[in-house]
Amino acid sequence: MSNRHRHRDDREEYGRGGYRDRTASAGYRGNGGERDYYRQGGGGGGRGRGGGDYGPRPQQQRRYQSSFVGQKRGREEAEAVDPKKQFVRRLMRLGEPGPLSEGDKTTAGDTVEKTIDNALWAFKQEIKHQTENLVDIVLEAAVSCSHKTLHYALLLGLLHGENPDWVSSFIGAAGQRFERELQAGEVVGPRLLLRLFACLTHTSVLHSNDVLGLMERTVDVAMKQATAGADPSGLTWQPWCDQLVYAVLGALVWGGARLKAAASDEHEALMQKVQQYMDARLTQESVELRPMYGANDATDAVAASDSGGAGFLGQLWHAVQVLRQEPQTLQQQEDIDPNDPDAPQHHDDPEPPLQQLEIQGIPMQLVTAYVNKLKGQAVELPPISLPDAVPGVEFDAAQLGLVGRAEVAIKLQGRYPARGGMRILESQYTDGSRGALERFIAEEMIIDLLAAFDAHRVELAQMLCSGLPLPYDYSGLLCETLFAQLLRLPHPRLTPVAFSALIAHTALLRPAFPRYLAGSVRQLYLRLQFLAPELAGRLADVLAHFISNMSFRWPWDKYRMGLAQPPGGPQRTFLIAVLHDLVKLTSWDHQLLLQETPAEFLALLGDQPGFVGLPMPLPYPPPAAPPAGLPAVQQLQLQQQQGGGGTDGQGEVQQVPEARDEGGDEQMTEADGSAAAAGDSTVHEQDAAAGSAAGTDEAMQHIEQQQQQQQSEAGPSLRQQAGGDAAMAEADAGQQEQQQPEVQDPEMLWAGKLLGVMQSRPPPEYKPLTYEQVIEWIDKQEMAQQLGSPAAHLRAVIRAVLAAGSKSCSHCYVLIERYSPYLLKLMEQLDEEQQQQQQQHEEGAEQVKSGQQMVLDTLG
């Protein structure tokens, strides 16, 4: 073996655990005779480059040179790369040129073909080193990234020519997973695996007859349930059978005309059986799942939707009819020159043109580019058993009563919900001149990604915006599909908050998306009088999140028709819901909300609501009482040295009522308290003067003189108010009652104390107390024993938590989440007490009953 081939083999063994790079162990030193691939010098171990043409890799050379800057002796440790994770990234980025990830500078390839070649090389390395669970990794990638099913089929086809044994084991594992999941009642995985089987016929891995035979058996299972006649309503079997036929039709679309050309007789027999099932199914449309209660006119496509219910299968079957066309006839029709006057005309020919069969979303040109390398011998599908009855239904529908059938029907509808679908925009903005199968393929890619990557919102948005193999602008279709899944009945595919985050990310990644989003919202806004109220609420929630993410900018002028409606109008109610959601996300006085929203729309909010029944915070830590017998001035100085009795939530000193001097001037302390409650600036100046003159007798006398002068000035006015102005006294009493409601209520009093602890920033650190410190304060104060019952304790804590989070919804959410463990603990204690009381009550009732029985026995 030459050195060139030897180094190439060594280079393919990249570092991980058991298969390290053998040449990397020699470093940069010569080894006597052979030169090292990563060695900088030429032959014989010298520094010159004349002995060979294998210098260091550019990336490694840059790392080696940069290691001299700010490092010791150039010993930079390169980050270890896990080849298994890198292989998974290659599978996920198959067909997408560019880097594998943001943190990894390794590129997937410069072209689509290069990404496949690089993935194939990495694939062979994983097989060579017997990576664990490699079959499961590839299967999971084929199911999760189902929009690249043909890419994975091509990758397996290229590998099949070099390693047919591994591909055969993969087909066996895929067949077992198909059987296992279908027997368990799952339909998503088997549907995607059946699609993969259909694509593997294009790459010479599977026989077309075997795949069509599996599809035909699947339709036979559905047909058996449809013709059994056990349930005349069809609700106990049709949801399951529709899913089976849906999987077959989807695989036929991915198989395309090539699958028909390979086995035309079997293909036509399958189509006839599907036609028989479509005629036998009882429910052709799910009227109860219509999102609209009416329509603007007879041609309104939005109102005709049934959320992808039973009507979707009929629409898909109508679109699949194009696959029944003969390829030869289509080829002849393609060769006809439309400009030739002597050419035969086919005005009355109902057959569709050839371009309707060319689905752009399925990149068959990739298979054509590698057709010379796909020369492996096709393998057979393993034996796969299909369920005879509906999985999860233990009894025959004929033996069940009306209630039993209803329970089974509800169970099946929950297990197999509607696919979701709604026509919102005009077809020119979503479909263009493309056929129905193009729309079906694009929608399938979007919906499958939503189901597979719902927990990874950023990656999901990136895949939806730039990862789909669609060679046209699909922004309008993407927007319509997302809104259709949001407005699906009875439940959306994801939560409204998840759709809000996804739509916001998509609007940032695709510049054309916001235009279609505004158009979709506008079309739904004009049909609010027919839209279900539940769906209008979802739309308002998502729209509010989107507006808040876009700096509160929205074309409000196009929605002024709702302002002219009377209260209760659909558009007016929708606008109020959006504005209230915006307030919940921010606050009533948010600056951007007030600036970007017109005043006419803000008027729909009405007056800002107040909070009733929440406690007022009491100061924490409580002020220390001054020693008895001190003059009033020394009491004031002592309280100022103590920080005014505590701090508020912002760390500022709070004013607290002063302790009355037994031998001092009570009128002066009352005047000082009144001035402090009113926030008089004169008192703050006196406080500052007292602080600066503390320690000298002259300054103390000066302060006493000023306070006595203030007392003499405030005394007549106070006496005048007390003697002649009863209304002012009532107002003062009402204000004090408003500031501290229900002071005599123990629950409210303890809630105020706890609220003060939550909002306090005690010295010397002036930081908020942690959750553990607050709970420690509750236990130290014996709050539960003071209130007397777990119910009162729970109500007091709930009041304090709600009052602490009353600033906004986000504050309330954070505080409830923070104190939820303690609230749950109190609820458990309350349940235990109630159970004990119930048990005592039952024991007492039993004793009374036994006593009565004893009396009756005695009398008898």
Side-chain angles (χ1 to χ4, degrees), residues 836-855:
Q836 293 178 0
Q837 293 178 356
Q838 181 68 21
Q839 184 178 1
Q840 293 177 359
H841 177 73
E842 293 177 355
E843 292 176 356
E846 187 67 25
Q847 293 178 0
V848 172
K849 184 177 180 180
S850 60
Q852 293 176 352
Q853 185 65 33
M854 185 181 300
V855 173

Side-chain angles (χ1 to χ4, degrees), residues 24 85 176 278 326 480 541 555 565 619 627 631 711 763 820:
K85 293 182 179 179
Q176 293 177 2
M278 296 301 297
E326 291 294 335
E480 188 176 75
D541 191 4
Q565 290 184 350
Q711 175 201 2
S820 58

Side-chain angles (χ1 to χ4, degrees), residues 263-539:
S264 57
D265 295 338
E266 290 81 357
H267 190 279
E268 182 60 28
L270 175 62
M271 298 290 279
Q272 291 179 2
K273 289 195 174 183
V274 174
Q275 182 65 57
Q276 294 175 4
Y277 173 77
M278 296 301 297
D279 296 337
R281 63 197 296 258
L282 300 177
T283 305
Q284 301 294 334
E285 184 181 4
S286 302
V287 182
E288 69 278 2
L289 297 180
R290 285 184 177 179
M292 297 286 180
Y293 297 150
N296 291 331
D297 50 42
T299 61
D300 193 356
V302 182
S305 171
D306 64 345
S307 295
F312 164 74
L313 192 62
Q315 298 172 5
L316 178 59
W317 171 241
H318 178 74
V320 171
Q321 294 297 319
V322 70
L323 297 177
R324 309 185 78 168
Q325 178 63 34
E326 291 294 335
Q328 295 82 3
T329 306
L330 291 172
Q331 185 63 38
Q332 296 174 3
Q333 191 173 358
E334 181 188 25
D335 296 338
I336 295 175
D337 187 4
N339 299 323
D340 187 2
D342 299 331
Q345 303 295 324
H346 296 275
H347 297 291
D348 299 333
D349 191 0
E351 303 297 342
L354 178 63
Q355 53 266 24
Q356 292 191 13
L357 285 179
E358 298 176 354
I359 302 176
Q360 303 178 38
I362 303 177
M364 294 299 300
Q365 64 274 10
L366 284 178
V367 180
T368 305
Y370 288 91
V371 66
N372 295 327
K373 298 181 180 181
L374 300 173
K375 297 182 179 180
Q377 187 68 28
V379 300
E380 296 182 356
L381 271 176
I384 298 176
S385 61
L386 303 178
D388 296 332
V390 181
V393 180
E394 301 178 357
F395 303 97
D396 189 3
Q399 302 176 358
L400 297 176
L402 184 61
V403 177
R405 294 179 185 177
E407 293 178 354
V408 174
I410 294 174
K411 182 179 180 180
L412 290 182
Q413 288 180 359
R415 186 190 302 175
Y416 311 115
R419 175 180 178 269
M422 180 188 297
R423 296 296 185 97
I424 302 175
L425 299 172
E426 297 182 4
S427 60
Q428 59 180 339
Y429 301 115
T430 56
D431 302 336
S433 58
R434 298 178 294 272
L437 291 182
E438 288 283 356
R439 181 186 179 92
F440 166 73
I441 292 297
E443 285 183 344
E444 285 293 283
M445 292 179 179
I446 298 172
I447 294 174
D448 291 339
L449 283 178
L450 289 177
F453 292 92
D454 60 329
H456 307 276
R457 306 288 158 71
V458 178
E459 291 79 0
L460 175 59
Q462 293 175 353
M463 289 184 179
L464 291 176
C465 294
S466 59
L468 301 184
L470 301 177
Y472 51 83
D473 184 14
Y474 56 92
S475 300
L477 182 58
L478 175 61
C479 180
E480 188 176 75
T481 306
L482 291 180
F483 274 99
Q485 298 303 312
L486 168 67
L487 303 179
R488 187 186 70 168
L489 286 175
H491 305 290
R493 186 169 295 274
L494 306 178
T495 60
V497 176
F499 274 109
S500 302
L502 182 59
I503 289 175
H505 281 96
T506 307
L508 295 176
L509 295 176
R510 291 190 74 88
F513 185 85
R515 181 166 62 92
Y516 295 104
L517 185 144
S520 301
V521 175
R522 176 69 175 170
Q523 292 297 323
L524 295 171
Y525 178 76
L526 296 175
R527 293 173 174 82
L528 283 175
Q529 65 271 23
F530 305 122
L531 188 64
E534 163 69 17
L535 304 185
R538 296 183 199 170
L539 181 62

Side-chain angles (χ1 to χ4, degrees), residues 589-647:
D589 55 352
H590 194 275
Q591 186 175 4
L592 284 179
L593 175 63
L594 300 179
Q595 290 178 357
E596 300 295 339
T597 309
E600 309 92 285
F601 291 88
L602 290 176
L604 297 176
L605 288 172
D607 298 332
Q608 180 176 353
F611 298 96
V612 180
L614 296 182
M616 296 296 293
L618 297 180
Y620 177 81
L630 290 179
V633 178
Q634 296 182 7
Q635 293 183 12
L636 178 62
Q637 180 183 2
L638 181 60
Q639 291 182 357
Q640 288 176 352
Q641 292 176 356
Q642 293 177 353
T647 59

Side-chain angles (χ1 to χ4, degrees), residues 217-244:
R217 291 171 53 207
T218 305
V219 177
D220 289 340
V221 172
M223 191 63 189
K224 179 181 178 181
Q225 295 292 329
T227 57
D231 182 12
S233 65
L235 298 178
T236 58
W237 55 266
Q238 183 167 334
W240 159 254
C241 296
D242 282 357
Q243 292 292 331
L244 297 179

Side-chain angles (χ1 to χ4, degrees), residues 747 751 754 783-784 787 789-801 819-820 822-831 834:
E747 295 181 14
L754 180 58
M783 183 175 173
L787 290 173
S789 66
H793 187 196
L794 177 62
R795 288 193 297 267
V797 175
I798 291 177
R799 287 181 176 181
V801 172
Y819 290 96
S820 58
Y822 190 70
L823 293 175
L824 292 175
K825 177 182 177 181
L826 295 181
M827 293 175 65
E828 293 176 357
Q829 294 178 359
L830 180 60
D831 293 340
Q834 291 178 351

Side-chain angles (χ1 to χ4, degrees), residues 656-667:
V656 297
E658 301 179 3
R660 295 189 177 182
D661 186 7
E662 296 179 357
D665 195 344
E666 296 182 356
Q667 295 181 355

